[in-house]
Amino acid sequence: MAKTIKALPFLLFLVSYNILLCTLATAKSKSFSKILSPATLGLKKEKLSHLHFYFHDIVSGRNPTAVPVVNAAMTNKSLSAFGLVVMMDDPLTAEPELSSKPVGKAQGIYASASLSELSLLMVLNFAFTEGKYNGSYLSVLGRNSVFSGVREMPIVGGSGLFRFARGYAQAKTHTFDLKTGDAIVEYNVYVFHY
């Protein structure tokens, strides 16, 4: 019996050590994150795609595609329309004419974010409906200084064929109607994706 009592602390140590190892192993297996190889998601070689289309921002008429949803108290007094927030579901077409082939929609918001110039915060998805890109999206988050010749905004992500997308969109005003406020904007988008 004396030998058993002397061996008891050692046995308790072994049992405790095994419990600790099991606990650590369990904790590792229940982690909320792990490192993966891109191949496990079926990702192969990264591609660079160029997309070219026209964005139709229609604020006038019976069926506008962009509508103001918020005005600050100072918006109407501001030369830059500071504080104006507009929700949009603007058509994207292959050519400048609205009647040309539709390729998708620009869905999101833009807001006047500068006190000194007409500069918009753009938060939108290009939701494509044409060809192999049907059902795929590109997300844009950036600054659009409206009166600059060419504006560049980052592509911050995407879905569908544009998973893991990154790149940039260049916007250039094609036409702007001073009476109605309607605009057609040419977009060239360069995007890396798998």
Side-chain angles (χ1 to χ4, degrees):
M1 175 113 178
K3 282 186 173 181
T4 305
I5 292 175
K6 287 184 180 180
L8 190 58
F10 181 71
L11 288 173
L12 287 173
F13 169 77
L14 281 179
V15 169
S16 298
Y17 183 73
N18 283 331
I19 290 171
L20 178 63
L21 286 179
C22 288
T23 303
L24 290 174
T26 302
K28 282 185 182 178
S29 68
K30 290 186 179 182
S31 175
F32 75 94
S33 69
K34 60 183 169 181
I35 296 173
L36 296 175
S37 163
T40 62
L41 294 176
L43 301 176
K44 296 179 183 165
K45 187 176 179 187
E46 193 173 38
K47 302 177 274 281
L48 174 61
S49 293
H50 171 230
L51 300 138
H52 178 256
F53 51 85
Y54 291 85
F55 168 110
H56 299 265
D57 194 49
I58 304 165
V59 297
S60 69
R62 298 173 84 191
N63 298 306
T65 61
V67 295
V69 293
V70 175
N71 272 323
M74 68 178 287
T75 298
N76 292 334
K77 298 175 193 156
S78 169
L79 292 176
S80 65
F82 183 71
L84 174 66
V85 178
V86 176
M87 185 66 66
M88 70 175 140
D89 187 11
D90 288 344
L92 303 176
T93 59
E95 299 297 328
E97 297 77 28
L98 185 57
S99 60
S100 70
K101 182 178 189 175
V103 297
K105 298 274 193 141
Q107 298 172 325
I109 61 171
Y110 57 85
S112 181
S114 173
L115 285 166
S116 59
E117 65 174 309
L118 186 53
S119 181
L120 306 174
L121 166 65
M122 305 288 288
V123 182
L124 65 100
N125 287 312
F126 291 131
F128 296 104
T129 57
E130 177 56 30
K132 70 179 182 178
Y133 299 119
N134 184 22
S136 296
Y137 302 85
L138 285 173
S139 298
V140 176
L141 174 63
R143 183 177 192 265
N144 182 350
S145 182
V146 175
F147 293 118
S148 296
V150 176
R151 289 87 68 192
E152 187 173 295
M153 292 164 277
I155 300 295
V156 297
S159 68
L161 290 180
F162 295 119
R163 287 184 189 133
F164 297 103
R166 69 188 196 288
Y168 64 97
Q170 289 182 326
K172 180 179 179 184
T173 303
H174 180 72
T175 59
F176 177 69
D177 187 322
L178 287 172
K179 289 181 184 175
T180 64
D182 295 347
I184 300 171
V185 181
E186 180 181 13
Y187 271 86
N188 280 287
V189 177
Y190 301 89
V191 61
F192 281 106
H193 60 100
Y194 287 93

